[in-house]
């Protein structure tokens, strides 16, 4: 069993419900990828032969989440189309069972719902639009530009931790101290002893957005995964615009923490893919292609030849 796996019976003993819905905020303009994202949502950019968004939905489905709300914006209806049925395509693939199975898989991963965010006023603002869909139950939030390796799952442990504590659950990963200025950074202390069987759990005592290295309380950065109680919606309504004049989810979570809501986090040691910027996207494509059973060996050989040829000034073929 993975160190990030969970024991469902422990959550059941608390009497609290386990989150079964997820929200994926995906309304941004993705200006870093223009002009490609003028017509194609960033979330649908392919990583080999699957779009980024499918990897994220697969991550949620693997954790037992079968209900997903996409917070969308203008020009992003194709995200829903990707998970819709295509009877015409399925008919043409009738004699290509592998391709047919791959297409049908997108239809069967989860029930996909959408909600339009008219203008982008921050992550907290986007999450607030999920209230009518989520109701009074806990839910997961998965950012639309990063995902983890399915062989090293993160969400099951987060869902378990939230069911036990009833509070806010985050995910952290370690960064080089010089890189803290790029991330939200947390101050932490050891978690309660009864939570340590879940994994590497810490109790969050505060969060700082993009601190200078010399001012950072730790090197633990926030990964784009959250499991939140429904109380977050009231906190979002009470949160004033913060960084960039936007309603920040971090500020709403900090408000709950200041009012006594427990905030914990899983420190994730697995592989994290960040497709939010062109360099990270390219690194993700290369890494996943190199690991594929059907492509990896040939691709790695080509990549080595390409790098060696380029370094020596030879032909880049």
């Amino acid at each position: 069993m993975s160190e990030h796996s969970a024991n469902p019976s422990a959550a059941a003993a608390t009497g609290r419900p386990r989150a079964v819905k997820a929200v994926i905020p995906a309304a941004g303009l993705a200006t870093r990828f223009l002009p490609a994202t003028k017509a194609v949502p960033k979330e649908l950019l392919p990583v080999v032969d699957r779009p980024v968004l499918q990897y994220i939905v697969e991550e949620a489905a693997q954790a037992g989440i079968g209900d997903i709300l996409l917070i969308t914006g203008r020009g992003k209806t194709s995200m829903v189309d990707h998970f819709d049925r295509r009877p015409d395509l399925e008919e043409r693939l009738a004699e290509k069972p592998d391709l047919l199975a791959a297409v049908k898989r997108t239809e069967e991963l989860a029930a996909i719902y959408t909600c339009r965010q008219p203008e982008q006023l921050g992550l907290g603002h986007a999450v607030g639009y999920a209230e009518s869909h989520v109701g009074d139950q806990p839910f997961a939030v998965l950012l639309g530009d990063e995902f983890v390796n399915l062989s090293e799952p993160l969400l099951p442990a987060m869902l378990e931790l939230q069911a036990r504590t009833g509070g806010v659950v985050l995910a952290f990963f370690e960064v080089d101290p010089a890189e803290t200025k790029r991330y939200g950074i947390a101050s932490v202390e050891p978690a309660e002893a009864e939570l340590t069987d879940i994994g590497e759990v810490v109790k969050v005592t505060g969060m700082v957005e993009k601190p200078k290295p010399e001012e950072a309380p730790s090197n633990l950065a926030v990964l784009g995964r959250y499991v939140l109680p429904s109380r977050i919606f009231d906190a979002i309504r009470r949160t004033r615009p913060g960084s960039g004049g936007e309603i920040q989810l971090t500020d709403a979570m900090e408000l709950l923490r200041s009012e006594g809501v427990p905030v914990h986090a899983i420190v994730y040691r697995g592989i994290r893919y960040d497709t939010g910027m062109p360099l990270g996207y390219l690194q993700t494509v290369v890494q996943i292609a190199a690991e594929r059973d059907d492509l990896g060996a040939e691709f790695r050989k080509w990549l080595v030849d390409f790098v060696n040829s380029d370094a020596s000034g030879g032909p880049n073929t």
Side-chain angles (χ1 to χ4, degrees):
M1 179 179 290
S2 165
E3 65 176 316
H4 303 290
S5 297
N7 177 5
S9 62
T14 67
R16 297 190 185 96
R18 187 183 180 95
V20 294
K21 295 183 178 182
V23 175
I24 302 178
L29 297 175
T31 55
R32 294 186 182 95
F33 287 87
L34 285 171
T37 50
K38 180 181 178 182
V40 179
K42 177 183 69 174
E43 295 81 7
L44 291 187
L45 293 178
V47 177
V48 188
D49 54 6
R50 281 182 282 169
V52 173
L53 184 59
Q54 183 173 333
Y55 285 91
I56 295 168
V57 172
E58 287 174 345
E59 184 183 337
Q62 184 193 55
I65 293 175
D67 180 308
I68 293 178
L69 177 68
L70 300 178
I71 308 295
T72 68
R74 294 177 184 86
K76 291 202 161 188
T77 56
S78 56
M79 290 193 298
V80 183
D81 293 340
H82 179 72
F83 298 97
D84 200 0
R85 282 206 63 199
R86 278 288 305 274
D88 58 327
L89 181 59
E90 293 172 17
E91 183 178 351
R92 299 193 68 171
L93 295 176
E95 297 181 4
K96 299 179 179 180
D98 291 345
L99 285 177
L100 178 60
V103 168
K104 290 181 69 66
R105 175 170 167 75
T106 64
E107 308 160 7
E108 299 165 352
L109 284 170
I112 305 293
Y113 303 90
T114 63
C115 177
R116 175 71 63 87
Q117 184 187 16
E119 53 183 332
Q120 287 72 63
L121 296 176
L123 179 57
H125 181 259
V127 171
Y129 275 87
E131 183 172 12
S132 61
H133 184 82
V134 169
D136 61 357
Q137 300 299 307
F139 64 103
V141 174
L142 294 77
L143 298 194
D145 54 15
E146 55 184 305
F147 57 95
V148 303
N149 193 310
L150 290 182
S151 67
E152 301 172 294
L154 168 62
L155 272 178
M158 295 182 69
L159 297 172
E160 168 75 6
L161 183 56
Q162 200 284 327
R164 288 203 205 176
T165 65
V168 171
V169 173
L170 310 175
F172 296 152
F173 66 103
E174 287 191 325
V175 298
D176 187 286
E179 296 295 305
T180 58
K181 60 183 180 293
R182 296 179 51 201
Y183 301 96
I185 301 296
S187 55
V188 302
E189 62 184 30
E192 299 86 336
E194 63 268 22
L195 299 176
T196 57
D197 66 302
I198 297 176
E200 191 173 347
V201 181
V202 292
K203 186 174 183 179
V204 180
T205 58
M207 288 175 281
V208 182
E209 190 66 28
K210 299 178 180 178
K212 297 178 181 178
E214 63 272 17
E215 298 174 356
S218 74
N219 70 331
L220 293 176
V222 179
L223 193 153
R225 297 291 179 271
Y226 313 80
V227 185
L228 304 170
S230 61
R231 291 175 62 178
I232 193 67
F233 297 118
D234 177 65
I236 289 171
R237 283 190 288 272
R238 294 186 286 124
T239 298
R240 300 178 63 84
S243 176
E246 297 180 335
I247 305 297
Q248 300 294 342
L249 183 61
T250 298
D251 294 339
M253 294 188 297
E254 181 63 17
L255 176 59
L256 288 184
R257 192 191 66 81
S258 71
E259 295 173 346
V261 175
V263 181
H264 294 83
I266 301 285
V267 180
Y268 183 65
R269 305 288 182 183
I271 298 174
R272 164 185 171 267
Y273 303 102
D274 184 354
T275 64
M277 293 188 292
L279 178 60
Y281 170 73
L282 291 172
Q283 290 169 334
T284 297
V285 172
V286 170
Q287 189 169 353
I288 288 182
E291 294 170 350
R292 287 270 295 253
D293 292 338
D294 57 338
L295 300 172
E298 187 173 353
F299 179 68
R300 287 193 300 270
K301 180 182 182 303
W302 174 86
L303 193 60
V304 170
D305 292 343
F306 173 79
V307 171
N308 290 339
S309 176
D310 183 59
S312 63
N316 296 330
T317 58

